[in-house]
Amino acid sequence: MTASAPILPSGGLPNAGLSSPGPRGAAPGERELITGEAVTLDVKPASYILRAAGTMIDWLFSMLVMLGCVLLLVATGGGLDQALIRVLIVLILVFGTVILPTAMELLTRGRSLGRLAVGARIVRDDGGATGFRHAFIRALTGVLEIYLTFGGIAALTGLLNSRSKRLGDLLAGTYSQLERVPKPQPLALYLPPQLSAWAVNADVGRLPDRLSRRIAQFVRQAPQLTAAARIGLSTELAREAAPYVSPLPPVDAETFLVGVAVLRRRRDEAGLALEAERLQRLQPVLDALPHSFPDR
């Protein structure tokens, strides 16, 4: 990498600032989830308002179910003993506050009536599906934080947590993941004309995948940003990407990022095409039977 070819952004980026990545590239964001197979996923937790709306719908559904059971008991249990009626009322309360939420979450795989309405789903902190233990802990804790305190504890805990977790989520190791997200639009990128000669010998293969995704996201959202935010983000991303790109073109930061995004996409497309071509050549060998092996 040639240190004498500085990137000159609109706000004036000195060449000395390109030597090391910024702090944002060191720590994963709140929306990034690394699975057990070391695959990074871009997830979005449900917001505080959506969680509150879903909880209110679930609370109303449980209250209606319990009210219906009590009315049925009153209509059909006129000759029952008072002690038995009190026992049945306690069982109705347990059914509506613990058994029903647990069963709903298990049968719908982390969903419920309220979460279906807001487009959310309860998952583990590692992104996996929840089980009986998670659903039971959340439902049992919900008796205290939702029913006995009228949602006060859940509201306070959700406000203090970056993923809007309530107390039951903290104890069970779960959170609400938003599944109803807009369909991603394909990003149309074109190499700037002033980078045509640079792109012939440029090397962007050492660019980290996480930083490459951030650059592509910036290029996609740049027209919607203000001028100050656009200059600041492009300058910061250019500083982080410069140590992984060789040589550095003498252009502004945003043009540099567009060129890096285009070359990175071309590199990935070429790699996928080469892999598909090799698999196609190997397909007859993989499908053929060993020598002298009968075809039964």
Side-chain angles (χ1 to χ4, degrees):
M1 183 174 63
T2 59
S4 60
I7 299 174
L8 300 177
S10 302
L13 176 63
N15 190 34
L18 301 177
S19 57
S20 60
R24 183 173 296 183
E30 285 292 333
R31 290 181 54 176
E32 288 188 343
L33 174 68
I34 301 179
T35 64
E37 292 78 15
V39 177
T40 304
L41 304 178
D42 186 16
V43 297
K44 184 177 182 181
S47 65
Y48 181 81
I49 301 298
L50 290 180
R51 292 216 62 180
T55 302
M56 291 179 62
I57 295 175
D58 291 334
W59 177 84
L60 182 60
F61 175 72
S62 299
M63 296 300 293
L64 291 177
V65 170
M66 289 188 289
L67 180 60
C69 293
V70 171
L71 293 178
L72 181 63
L73 178 62
V74 172
T76 60
L80 296 179
D81 184 45
Q82 294 296 325
L84 180 58
I85 292 178
R86 286 194 290 268
V87 170
L88 292 177
I89 290 177
V90 172
L91 291 178
I92 290 174
L93 292 175
V94 173
F95 171 78
T97 58
V98 178
I99 298 178
L100 181 61
T102 303
M104 284 282 294
E105 194 166 309
L106 285 177
L107 293 177
T108 58
R109 296 185 177 182
R111 299 177 180 90
S112 66
L113 190 63
R115 287 187 286 274
L116 285 174
V118 301
R121 177 184 176 219
I122 297 297
V123 296
R124 300 196 309 260
D125 285 337
D126 60 357
T130 57
F132 172 77
R133 178 177 62 86
H134 307 91
F136 181 73
I137 291 176
R138 296 183 72 257
L140 193 62
T141 313
V143 177
L144 170 65
E145 61 175 335
I146 295 178
Y147 293 96
L148 295 183
T149 62
F150 298 98
I153 296 180
L156 181 62
T157 309
L159 283 173
L160 299 177
N161 191 273
S162 60
R163 289 187 174 182
S164 302
K165 289 186 175 185
R166 63 179 179 89
L167 183 60
D169 292 313
L170 294 175
L171 295 177
T174 59
Y175 74 99
S176 182
Q177 176 181 320
L178 188 62
E179 293 188 326
R180 192 177 300 163
V181 296
K183 184 178 180 180
Q185 298 296 330
L187 179 61
L189 293 179
Y190 303 95
L191 187 68
Q194 60 268 38
L195 293 180
S196 300
W198 167 80
V200 176
N201 299 318
D203 179 20
V204 295
R206 297 186 299 118
L207 193 70
D209 292 338
R210 183 180 301 161
L211 181 57
S212 177
R213 290 194 300 270
R214 290 175 56 201
I215 293 176
Q217 185 178 9
F218 166 78
V219 174
R220 184 195 305 273
Q221 299 177 352
Q224 306 171 6
L225 301 176
T226 62
R230 197 165 175 172
I231 293 175
L233 287 175
S234 62
T235 301
E236 182 180 356
L237 287 174
R239 284 197 182 100
E240 296 185 26
Y244 307 104
V245 179
S246 177
L248 294 178
V251 294
D252 61 275
E254 186 170 342
T255 304
F256 168 69
L257 295 178
V258 173
V260 169
V262 171
L263 288 186
R264 181 73 177 195
R265 171 170 290 189
R266 290 180 179 177
R267 173 182 175 273
D268 293 341
E269 289 178 351
L272 292 175
L274 181 61
E275 181 182 0
E277 181 183 354
R278 290 175 177 174
L279 289 177
Q280 187 175 5
R281 290 201 306 264
L282 289 175
Q283 195 65 32
V285 180
L286 297 177
D287 294 340
L289 295 174
H291 181 67
S292 300
F293 195 87
D295 186 6
R296 299 175 180 176

